[in-house]
Amino acid sequence: MRQFGLIGYPLSHSFSQGYFTEKFLHENEKGLQYTNFPIASINDFDDIWLKQANLQGLNVTIPYKKLVIPFLHHASSVVKKINACNCIRKYNNELYGYNTDVIGFEKSLAPFLQPHHTHALILGTGGAAVAVEWVLQKLNINYLLVSRTNADSSESGNAISYDALTTELLSQYTLIINTSPVGMYPDVDELPSLPYAAITAQHHLYDLIYNPAETLFMKKGLAQGATVQNGLNMLHIQAEESWRIWNTSTPPLENEN
Ligand code: NAP
């Protein structure tokens, strides 16, 4: 039996267990199991590996993407750079850490990107925002972080407050990515504080939220003629990328996220 799983806390609304259980069933993959490990403290991390002899890989979610890094024997260059790990593989009794949110975001955004999307706004400055920042840097897209709390004090020094979002600014920043939980179930009547009248058909609004499938942020964008997408495709891509990493014959860290 090969076991995989997810650590985080709480895990009641997690997507991964359902996804992998369905995948194993659908692809007729026998002897595989995906288990939730809702640990209240990262100090319980070592215990999971000790108790589960067949555990070969873990996904990592809130609040442990950063806290898990000191437990790794090896970390990919992206994990080291953005300080966030959401996928671990055990190989020869050592733990290798990766970040598959990065590839999930990059690949899911690609079909919507237009040449005029040269400037982006990232709403929120949490764990998902660092993966988005990494991809935008790679794609040479200029960006500003938009924050309730960290304006002018972000690590990259380019965070602004929501008050600074003027019509003029939005006319240049045509890619808007919501990495905040605002609008997520059950708070589906909430939306990030933007001057929505300034959104045009040139804009692309990407909401990392996937429940509900169409957030109020996306609805407002659609009403203005913008293109929109939710976070479901990103979620699927990052899960499949974890599966690929867990199944490579060796755990190469070069060229890996
Ligand atoms: P997080 O670390 O908690 O950060 C979210 C950030 O959003 C916070 O740092 C905060 O930034 C801002 N924020 C929080 N509450 C807010 C509020 N009430 N109003 C305005 N801004 C608020 O969470 P995360 O891990 O980055 O995840 C954020 C969202 O992305 C969640 O909805 C999550 O489900 C989604 N996500 C989706 C995927 C996917 O695959 N689709 C992957 C990862 C995450 P400031 O304090 O700077 O404002």
Side-chain angles (χ1 to χ4, degrees), residues 62 65 101 124-129 146-150 162 179-182 184 208-210 231-232 234-235 238:
I62 299 170
K65 288 185 185 181
D101 281 339
T125 60
V146 186
S147 174
R148 302 160 307 164
T149 51
N150 294 330
Y162 284 87
T179 74
S180 85
V182 179
M184 188 165 68
L208 260 54
I209 292 170
Y210 47 89
L232 193 60
M234 172 174 171
L235 205 63
Q238 66 79 24

Side-chain angles (χ1 to χ4, degrees), residues 189-229:
D189 295 331
E190 294 180 4
L191 75 173
S193 175
L194 300 180
Y196 286 93
I199 305 286
T200 66
Q202 297 291 297
H203 283 81
H204 180 63
L205 271 53
Y206 188 160
D207 204 330
L208 260 54
I209 292 170
Y210 47 89
N211 182 12
E214 193 172 280
T215 60
L216 200 47
F217 169 71
M218 292 165 64
K219 285 192 173 97
K220 287 276 195 179
L222 282 172
Q224 296 292 125
T227 55
V228 302
Q229 71 181 115

Side-chain angles (χ1 to χ4, degrees), residues 73-148:
H73 299 97
H74 310 273
S76 72
S77 53
V78 176
V79 168
K80 285 182 193 154
K81 184 80 185 162
I82 72 175
N83 228 357
C85 166
N86 74 326
C87 175
I88 299 172
R89 175 164 179 205
K90 187 179 176 187
Y91 183 83
N92 279 348
N93 273 328
E94 297 201 324
L95 301 181
Y96 289 73
Y98 306 84
N99 188 302
T100 64
D101 281 339
V102 165
I103 197 163
F105 177 70
E106 183 174 1
K107 282 195 171 171
S108 59
L109 174 66
F112 295 93
L113 266 187
Q114 300 288 335
H116 66 264
H117 292 138
T118 54
H119 289 71
L121 297 172
I122 305 174
L123 312 180
T125 60
V130 288
V132 170
E133 276 194 87
W134 176 260
V135 172
L136 295 183
Q137 284 170 15
K138 185 178 163 194
L139 297 175
N140 272 325
I141 295 175
N142 298 296
Y143 63 87
L144 290 170
L145 292 154
V146 186
S147 174
R148 302 160 307 164

Side-chain angles (χ1 to χ4, degrees), residues 7-77:
I7 60 160
Y9 197 82
L11 291 179
S12 45
H13 293 101
S14 152
F15 144 95
S16 299
Q17 189 181 35
Y19 182 83
F20 280 106
T21 304
E22 175 76 15
K23 176 183 170 69
F24 297 159
L25 208 65
H26 187 72
E27 295 178 6
N28 210 12
E29 299 261 16
K30 299 214 168 50
L32 300 175
Q33 196 177 33
Y34 193 98
T35 313
N36 277 349
F37 299 104
I39 50 173
S41 160
I42 194 65
N43 295 329
D44 299 334
F45 180 77
D46 284 336
D47 234 31
I48 296 175
W49 295 96
L50 285 173
K51 287 182 182 156
Q52 320 289 327
N54 296 321
L55 189 60
Q56 298 190 355
L58 280 179
N59 285 126
V60 183
T61 189
I62 299 170
Y64 300 129
K65 288 185 185 181
K66 188 174 178 176
L67 292 169
V68 81
I69 294 174
F71 292 83
L72 303 173
H73 299 97
H74 310 273
S76 72
S77 53

